Amino acid sequence: PPGMAAPSEVTDGMRERQKRTPQNWTMTIRQWDQLMQYCGTLRVPGDAKPFYSMYDVTSKFIVPWTEGTGCGAAVLMSKDV
């Protein structure tokens, strides 16, 4: 998604923040809106659902985007803050 760090952009600082300072696992309302707007433009091949629940968003988009990075979506959206 726009604004989200790609796996190649993940820094040790981002991974450290994920582990040491969970109070900093945040994103702005604007970042949240961008993420949800982006998810709304995507469709999973073979999935005929007219909408996605938050469970769907997590399993179909967030988990694949964050897998192997050592960071959650909020850290990837806020990068090295």
Side-chain angles (χ1 to χ4, degrees), residues 29-76:
I29 297 295
R30 184 176 194 182
Q31 289 169 323
W32 174 258
D33 184 54
Q34 288 173 332
L35 187 62
M36 292 300 102
Q37 291 291 327
Y38 183 74
C39 288
T41 67
L42 303 176
R43 288 286 161 234
V44 175
D47 191 340
K49 285 184 170 184
F51 60 87
Y52 290 126
S53 67
M54 285 309 298
Y55 178 85
D56 294 328
V57 168
T58 301
S59 64
K60 296 174 188 299
F61 305 117
I62 303 299
V63 169
W65 291 334
T66 61
E67 191 170 31
T69 66
C71 298
V75 171
L76 294 178

Side-chain angles (χ1 to χ4, degrees), residues 9-49:
E9 298 174 303
V10 174
T11 66
D12 289 337
M14 291 165 69
R15 288 187 187 100
E16 186 65 21
R17 180 165 36 118
Q18 181 76 27
K19 293 176 189 172
R20 302 250 184 242
T21 54
Q23 68 275 17
N24 293 335
W25 301 352
T26 61
M27 66 176 85
T28 65
I29 297 295
R30 184 176 194 182
Q31 289 169 323
W32 174 258
D33 184 54
Q34 288 173 332
L35 187 62
M36 292 300 102
Q37 291 291 327
Y38 183 74
C39 288
T41 67
L42 303 176
R43 288 286 161 234
V44 175
D47 191 340
K49 285 184 170 184

